[in-house]
């Protein structure tokens, strides 16, 4: 049996507008890499990146701890984490590590878990950063492509995105609060108006249809959320201008990436993604904020390297 395995998992964007906690899309912009090795006693984390190395405070550590407990693994384990996904910017950073950890554990111990079980274990890692379990980012990082998450029982539906779908992401250089996801979840309304729910549900349904039909313009025009985005956008200085600039430059849909503060535009390969990215950068600049822009495509899921 192999004594060590290395797995790479992509970053992701969650929610895609109306699909709060339900939709995820894996992106080829950044990857986290995890090496899981049988060594010594207990479970240890090693990393050169500035991340927590206590098991319970690290999304990958939490996953390995839970899986070792569940499968009664007593072997000592060393978890080497190499972060590629920026932490705290709405790109599913904790989820990428958690997804890589779940897949690495599955491969190292030849468990051959099904997709839903892998996502379930990876989701436990979200407790470390979000303070609650949600599966949209981890499902995308584990499985790749576009995912729809149903819970109780957990059931993830995956679709391969259209080849011509392009994403432009603006990552603002702002200080994000510790436990940002937890903080930004507290900003959300506890109750919503039925008419708002109907509007979001219609867009969420159309968005899923867009992925199934591989229709980029249907996907783009469905990125429309009147519940979560209005409640969170005050945490992103310049958001309205960034969004308007992107739409004026040809983006088909624009929203907050996951819990933010990154902003993501959906467009087609036939548009001018560079122009959209530059327009987003100008939007943030108008609010006095510097940002990094990334133009990327959907990614496949976590895999052994
Ligand atoms: N669906 C989650 C949220 C994604 O928006 O809070 C963040 O990780």
């Amino acid at each position: 049996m192999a004594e060590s395995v290395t797995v790479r998992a992509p970053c992701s964007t969650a929610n895609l507008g109306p699909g709060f906690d339900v939709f995820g899309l894996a992106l080829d912009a950044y990857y986290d890499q995890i090496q899981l090795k049988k060594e010594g006693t207990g479970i240890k984390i090693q990393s050169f990146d500035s991340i927590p190395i206590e098991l319970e405070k690290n999304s990958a550590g939490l996953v390995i701890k839970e899986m070792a407990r569940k499968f009664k693994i007593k072997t000592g384990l060393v978890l080497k984490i190499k972060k590629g996904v920026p932490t705290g910017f709405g790109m599913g950073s904790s989820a990428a590590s958690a997804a890589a950890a779940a897949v690495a554990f599955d491969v190292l111990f030849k468990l051959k878990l099904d997709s839903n079980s892998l996502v379930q274990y990876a989701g436990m890692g979200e407790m470390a950063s979000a303070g609650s379990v949600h599966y949209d980012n981890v499902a995308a990082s584990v499985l790749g492509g576009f995912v729809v998450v149903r819970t109780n029982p957990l059931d993830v539906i995956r679709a391969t995105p259209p080849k011509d779908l392009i994403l432009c992401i603006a990552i603002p250089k702002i200080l994000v609060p510790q436990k940002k996801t937890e903080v930004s979840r507290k900003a959300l309304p506890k109750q919503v108006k039925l008419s708002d729910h109907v509007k979001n549900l219609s867009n969420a349904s159309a968005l899923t249809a867009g992925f199934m039909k591989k229709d980029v313009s249907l996907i783009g025009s469905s990125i429309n959320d009147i519940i979560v985005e209005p409640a969170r956008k005050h945490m992103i200085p310049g958001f309205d201008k960034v969004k308007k600039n992107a739409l004026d430059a040809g983006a088909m849909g624009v929203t907050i990436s996951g819990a933010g503060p990154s902003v993501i535009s959906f467009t087609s390969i036939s548009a001018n993604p560079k122009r959209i990215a530059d327009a987003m950068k100008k939007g943030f600049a108008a609010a006095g904020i510097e940002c990094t822009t990334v133009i990327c495509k959907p990614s496949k899921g976590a895999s052994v390297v």
Side-chain angles (χ1 to χ4, degrees):
M1 192 189 280
E3 293 301 295
S4 142
V5 64
T6 302
V7 171
R8 202 172 82 118
C11 66
S12 58
T13 187
N15 304 338
L16 290 88
F20 176 71
D21 277 2
V22 173
F23 295 159
L25 179 68
L27 302 173
D28 72 358
Y30 306 103
Y31 292 81
D32 277 4
Q33 190 165 298
I34 294 227
Q35 185 200 48
L36 185 64
K37 194 174 180 187
K38 294 181 189 173
E39 192 178 288
T41 53
I43 306 172
K44 292 182 188 67
I45 297 179
Q46 295 176 352
S47 181
F48 290 115
D49 301 303
S50 56
I51 53 170
I53 55 162
E54 299 93 327
L55 274 195
E56 290 77 12
K57 291 188 181 161
N58 182 291
S59 62
L62 208 47
V63 170
I64 298 297
K65 183 183 164 200
E66 287 301 322
M67 292 183 87
R69 191 176 58 81
K70 173 78 185 171
F71 294 99
K72 301 187 175 21
I73 301 288
K74 303 279 182 243
T75 328
L77 292 169
V78 176
L79 186 61
K80 281 192 184 156
I81 305 175
K82 206 162 135 193
K83 291 297 295 177
V85 185
T87 303
F89 287 89
M91 311 279 299
S93 178
S94 57
S97 289
V103 172
F105 194 96
D106 180 61
V107 173
L108 189 64
F109 293 101
K110 294 193 163 56
L111 301 175
K112 298 202 181 326
L113 295 173
D114 61 27
S115 303
N116 287 338
S117 305
L118 282 173
V119 172
Q120 185 106 49
Y121 284 114
M124 290 173 176
E126 292 289 28
M127 275 307 285
S129 65
S132 61
V133 177
H134 56 95
Y135 298 95
D136 42 7
N137 288 110
V138 285
S141 282
V142 170
L143 304 177
F146 171 69
V147 292
V148 177
V149 176
R150 295 196 295 168
T151 45
N152 296 323
L154 182 66
D155 179 29
V156 183
I157 301 150
R158 183 194 178 281
T160 302
K163 285 201 166 47
D164 49 346
L165 178 62
I166 299 280
L167 301 309
C168 303
I169 306 170
I171 308 169
K173 291 188 181 145
I174 56 173
L175 272 180
V176 285
Q178 286 272 323
K179 300 237 170 201
K180 176 223 62 191
T181 302
E182 202 172 328
V183 172
S184 59
R185 289 175 85 84
K186 289 202 175 119
L188 301 178
K190 297 273 176 293
Q191 293 188 322
V192 296
K193 259 176 38 196
L194 186 61
S195 56
D196 289 351
H197 160 72
V198 170
K199 181 98 180 129
N200 263 33
L201 181 60
S202 66
N203 278 310
S205 307
L207 194 142
T208 305
F211 275 99
M212 302 319 286
K213 292 168 70 163
K214 303 203 190 298
D215 179 339
V216 174
S217 76
L218 181 56
I219 293 170
S221 66
S222 309
I223 304 283
N224 191 1
D225 161 30
I226 58 165
I227 298 173
V228 174
E229 184 181 295
R232 280 181 169 169
K233 66 177 186 176
H234 69 276
M235 297 175 180
I236 309 172
F239 176 81
D240 285 334
K241 180 82 175 139
V242 174
K243 180 167 178 171
K244 183 178 184 308
N245 279 8
L247 290 170
D248 288 350
M252 291 166 172
V254 183
T255 191
I256 301 169
S257 182
S262 296
V263 180
I264 184 163
S265 294
F266 290 70
T267 189
S268 153
I269 212 158
S270 56
N272 188 338
K274 169 89 170 65
R275 193 166 154 238
I276 295 169
D278 289 347
M280 294 171 85
K281 196 177 211 127
K282 279 196 189 125
F284 271 123
I289 310 281
E290 266 183 69
C291 81
T292 305
T293 55
V294 187
I295 296 170
C296 62
K297 287 182 168 189
S299 170
K300 66 181 181 94
S303 60
V304 174
V305 291

